[in-house]
Amino acid sequence: MTTVTLYHNPRCSKSRQTLALLEEQSVQIDIVEYLKNAPTAEDIQAILTMLAVSPRALMRTKETEYKEQNLGDSNLSDEQLIAAMVNTPKLIERPIAIANGKAAVGRPPENVLAIL
């Protein structure tokens, strides 16, 4: 049986929809409420590698914290952007599903089916 790690925010409708979609599949789900248990820099780097995207592509750029922390500054390094996500996990796009050595962002929720 496939195990899916889901970085989940229960207050987010897309995250809830993704969880419901995964529950319909024959998979075991390991839910990580990332706002309560923030991922480490190493976790985020691993997710970025699996998604083959830059840190900024995994960030919620419309969040107030993004603007307040001046994270739109193009001079910031990947390490600085990852540190911002570790320190302010609300900035991380959600939900993120990981299975079979691959990751997918559940926007739309059906995106996660590709990694099962």
Side-chain angles (χ1 to χ4, degrees):
M1 177 182 284
T2 300
T3 299
V4 178
T5 299
L6 182 65
Y7 285 86
H8 176 62
N9 177 353
R11 295 186 58 183
C12 170
S13 64
K14 292 292 183 207
S15 198
R16 291 191 308 269
Q17 291 168 10
T18 300
L19 177 58
L21 184 63
L22 288 171
E23 288 173 340
E24 293 171 3
Q25 309 301 310
S26 294
V27 297
Q28 180 177 338
I29 306 166
D30 178 20
I31 297 173
V32 177
E33 288 193 36
Y34 68 94
L35 293 178
K36 293 180 182 176
N37 300 303
T40 65
E42 293 78 16
D43 294 335
I44 293 173
Q45 185 58 61
I47 292 166
L48 292 169
T49 299
M50 286 184 265
L51 291 171
V53 298
S54 68
R56 202 175 307 279
L58 192 61
M59 297 180 89
R60 298 176 59 82
T61 59
K62 293 187 172 120
E63 292 291 341
T64 304
E65 291 84 353
Y66 186 86
K67 294 172 186 68
E68 287 175 351
Q69 296 178 38
N70 197 32
L71 297 172
D73 182 346
S74 60
N75 293 316
L76 293 174
S77 68
D78 286 355
E79 291 76 18
Q80 288 171 304
L81 295 173
I82 290 169
M85 287 187 271
V86 169
N87 294 325
T88 312
K90 182 179 180 184
L91 291 168
I92 302 170
E93 187 59 78
R94 63 185 180 257
I96 301 167
I98 299 171
N100 302 311
K102 300 175 191 167
V105 176
R107 291 188 169 269
E110 294 77 19
N111 283 354
V112 303
L113 297 177
I115 66 169
L116 300 181

